[in-house]
Amino acid sequence: MTPSDRLILALDHEDPKEAIHLVDRLSGRIKTFKVGSVLFTHAGPSLVREIQKRGGAVFLDLKFHDIPNTVAGAALQAARLGVQMLTLHTLGGREMMHKTAESVREAVLRERIPAPLLLGVTVLTSFDQAMLQETLSSPSSLEEMVVHLARLAHEEGMDGAVASPRELPLLRKDLPRSFRLVTPGIRLSSGNHQDQRRVADPRQAIAQGADYIVVGRPILESKNPIETVEAILREMESPG
Ligand code: C5P
C-alpha cells in the first residue's frame, strides 16, 4: 500500500457542503474519507454516495452497538452502500460480531458487492482506568481489556480494530499481521495536539504497525490543507 492508500481524512464537519468541498480539494491525494455519526445523522447515505461519485472511498464510523440481529442488519446496509470499512463496538459481544461477519460475508457472495473491512472498537480513548472499572465493574487493566476485546474480535471474524498509538505495540504483539489496525490520534511532529492525549506522528504510527492512520483536525484546521496532507504523506514515507 502507498502512503495515500493508508491515510484517512476524518470529515468531522457539521455542514455536508463543507465536507464535500474538502473532498473535492483533496481527492487527488486522499482516497478514503471517514464519515462519523454527526455528519451521517445530518446528511445520510446521500453524502456517502456523493463522496463515492467523486472517486473517494468511505470509512463509515458509526460504531454500531446493539443486539446481534440489529448490528448485522445495519452492517449489511453499510456494505450495500459500498463503504470500504465500518466500525462496531466489540463490547457488543461475540455473538454480535459473529453474526455480523457472517451476514456481511454471505451478502458479499450472494449480491456480489465489495467486502467492507469490519473494524472493532475496543475501549474508547475517552475512558481511563477508573472509568473502565466503574463502568464495567471489572478488575482488568485498560490494556488487558483492549487486548482481550481485540482477540475476541479477531476470533469472531472482524478484519481489524481501531487502535490508539499507545495500543499499537500491544496489539501487534498479540494479533496476526493480517489483522488491520486503524489509528487515530495522529499529529504532525511540528503541530499542536488539540484534545488528543496519546498521540503519535505519522511515521511512528506506521512504524509501530498501523495499517491506516486517521487524521482530522491537523488537516481540517490547517490554513493550507493540501500542504498539510503532502507533509503527512512525506512523513509516512520516511523510514525515520
Ligand atoms: O481531529 P483528530 O485528528 O483528533 O480526529 C481523529 C478522528 O478519529 C476523529 O473523527 C475522532 O472521533 C476519531 N477517533 C479518535 N479516537 C478513537 C476513535 C476515533 O480520535 N479512539
Side-chain angles (χ1 to χ4, degrees):
M1 285 202 296
T2 65
S4 71
D5 293 322
R6 296 171 182 272
L7 175 60
I8 300 173
L9 173 63
L11 291 174
D12 290 332
H13 299 87
E14 281 183 21
D15 180 354
K17 284 202 199 91
E18 277 179 29
I20 288 296
H21 179 64
L22 198 62
V23 172
D24 282 335
R25 283 186 74 187
L26 295 177
S27 60
R29 291 164 175 88
I30 291 185
K31 296 184 179 156
T32 308
F33 299 89
K34 182 168 90 76
V35 174
S37 54
V38 176
L39 194 55
F40 192 80
T41 304
H42 186 153
S46 63
L47 177 83
V48 171
R49 294 194 191 98
E50 283 297 318
I51 296 170
Q52 291 166 333
K53 257 203 291 192
R54 289 161 164 79
V58 173
F59 170 9
L60 191 63
D61 186 20
L62 300 181
K63 300 187 177 66
F64 298 130
H65 188 170
D66 208 315
I67 58 170
N69 201 43
T70 302
V71 171
L76 184 55
Q77 295 306 330
R80 287 180 175 145
L81 255 180
V83 304
Q84 185 193 358
M85 46 183 99
L86 64 102
T87 47
L88 45 85
H89 274 282
T90 55
L91 280 166
R94 267 190 193 283
E95 194 194 331
M96 186 200 84
M97 292 190 276
H98 187 85
K99 190 167 169 64
T100 300
E102 193 178 62
S103 306
V104 170
R105 222 167 279 134
E106 281 170 10
V108 163
L109 292 176
R110 193 179 55 239
E111 300 173 23
R112 295 164 194 253
I113 50 178
L117 293 178
L118 301 176
L119 303 173
V121 173
T122 59
V123 180
L124 290 171
T125 42
S126 51
F127 268 63
D128 61 18
Q129 186 68 44
M131 285 164 74
L132 184 74
Q133 264 153 21
E134 185 196 35
T135 309
L136 297 183
S137 183
S138 157
S140 300
S141 73
L142 206 143
E143 286 75 18
E144 284 164 351
M145 188 64 87
V146 166
V147 171
H148 169 70
L149 291 169
R151 264 194 220 133
L152 273 192
H154 177 248
E155 283 167 22
E156 298 308 332
M158 297 294 103
D159 300 295
V162 179
S164 77
R166 186 164 101 182
E167 295 157 4
L168 282 172
L170 282 176
L171 294 177
R172 269 290 160 248
K173 202 165 74 161
D174 214 77
L175 286 141
R177 189 62 189 83
S178 57
F179 192 71
R180 312 298 211 303
L181 297 178
V182 178
T183 301
I186 302 295
R187 293 297 175 263
L188 272 168
S189 18
S190 53
N192 98 24
H193 288 182
Q194 282 102 6
D195 63 355
Q196 296 279 18
R197 288 197 189 97
R198 301 199 288 273
V199 300
D201 66 42
R203 189 189 53 76
Q204 289 163 338
I206 298 293
Q208 290 180 340
D211 294 294
Y212 298 90
I213 62 173
V214 179
V215 185
R217 285 164 293 177
I219 298 172
L220 304 179
E221 294 176 2
S222 163
K223 291 209 183 74
N224 188 337
I226 294 179
E227 233 168 56
T228 305
V229 169
E230 299 288 358
I232 293 171
L233 293 172
R234 273 197 306 277
E235 279 202 30
M236 289 167 82
E237 251 164 21
S238 75

